[in-house]
Amino acid sequence: GGCLAVAFLLALATVSTSQVRWRWAWYAGLTLTAAGLAVTFSRATWIGVAVGALLIGGQALRVQPPALRRRFMRRVILPLLGIGLVFAVLAWPILASRLGLTHTGAEARSIDERGATIAIAWRHLTTAPWPGIGLAQFTRLTLAGNQDLLGAYAPQPVHFVPLLALVELGPLGGLLWVWLMLAPLLAWARRVPRPAALLGPTAALLALIVIGLFDFYPFQVTQGRLLTWTVLGL
């Protein structure tokens, strides 16, 4: 889901702000990537992509002349809305569960697991925050005197990256990590005019930050870290 989110936003920014050759191929790629994002059934990814797309759409509509705005709406926005509608109709039972409209055991367990790991993280921060437990050590923390909060759930990192960074790196390291993530966004907001080439990476970074509020892989899993650092490099 994270890889598809980054690919989608980079492509969306390209076709929104640049004159590209083989534009139909870009549109086809956006359509396929949007379909892939839909069937991940990842709520965190959907929210992250929506936030990143709002940034891209707002910038594109603000700087493009009226004719290009209408083409953007007709060739990008409307097809993506159509994909979303078709997906909602075909996959409504699963989608309703993921949106919390129906109650299922798997969804309840997912929410309860997150609550348990958040409680463990807060217990550690309020009792022994310094100097941090070390990178990728949160799973060990869940087994070290926190079984009462973990209960019957499997040990796993807390699904809230800022909190995970504070616990594993300590308050100083965690705050440095938060600054590292937010500094490019602040630089983008302050810079006028904003370079079109930075729109896609900025939107992708924003999406990864949002995803990190619901899942740990942008900080903890190897593939997620590679993805995050690649976007920061861009």
Side-chain angles (χ1 to χ4, degrees):
C3 292
L4 286 169
V6 169
F8 177 84
L9 292 171
L10 291 177
L12 181 63
T14 299
V15 300
S16 303
T17 59
S18 306
Q19 296 297 324
V20 295
R21 300 181 62 185
W22 303 97
R23 186 173 288 272
W24 65 268
W26 285 89
Y27 291 148
L30 277 172
T31 301
L32 291 172
T33 309
L37 283 168
V39 298
T40 63
F41 288 98
S42 170
R43 290 168 294 192
T45 302
W46 292 343
I47 297 172
V49 168
V51 173
L54 284 175
L55 175 66
I56 293 172
Q59 179 71 4
L61 295 176
R62 184 167 57 249
V63 302
Q64 296 285 23
L68 291 181
R69 293 178 194 173
R70 289 192 293 270
R71 186 173 68 180
F72 178 72
M73 293 292 296
R74 185 176 65 254
R75 297 185 178 181
V76 177
I77 302 299
L78 292 180
L80 292 178
L81 290 176
I83 291 173
L85 180 60
V86 172
F87 170 71
V89 171
L90 295 178
W92 178 248
I94 304 176
L95 182 61
S97 173
R98 295 299 283 166
L99 295 178
L101 301 178
T102 59
H103 182 79
T104 64
E107 291 301 318
R109 179 183 177 90
S110 176
I111 294 173
D112 290 344
E113 283 180 335
R114 282 166 164 78
T117 55
I118 288 174
I120 292 171
W122 277 118
R123 171 186 281 180
H124 179 81
L125 284 178
T126 56
T127 56
W130 302 96
I133 63 175
L135 192 62
Q137 295 300 306
F138 192 92
T139 300
R140 180 181 61 82
L141 176 67
T142 61
L143 298 174
N146 291 296
Q147 292 91 339
D148 58 322
L149 295 178
L150 183 63
Y153 301 123
Q156 58 186 293
V158 59
H159 291 243
F160 189 76
V161 167
L163 192 56
L164 181 60
L166 287 170
V167 171
E168 293 194 341
L169 304 180
L172 179 59
L175 291 175
L176 286 173
W177 182 89
V178 171
W179 171 81
L180 177 65
M181 295 296 108
L182 296 181
L185 302 182
L186 297 175
W188 166 264
R190 294 178 58 185
R191 186 168 180 173
V192 178
R194 299 183 176 97
L198 293 181
L199 179 58
T202 304
L205 178 61
L206 181 59
L208 288 175
I209 291 173
V210 172
I211 291 171
L213 302 180
F214 304 94
D215 212 332
F216 58 80
Y217 68 79
F219 179 80
Q220 187 70 279
V221 179
T222 300
Q223 295 90 335
R225 291 199 298 265
L226 287 171
L227 185 64
T228 300
W229 286 107
T230 298
V231 171
L232 281 171
L234 294 174

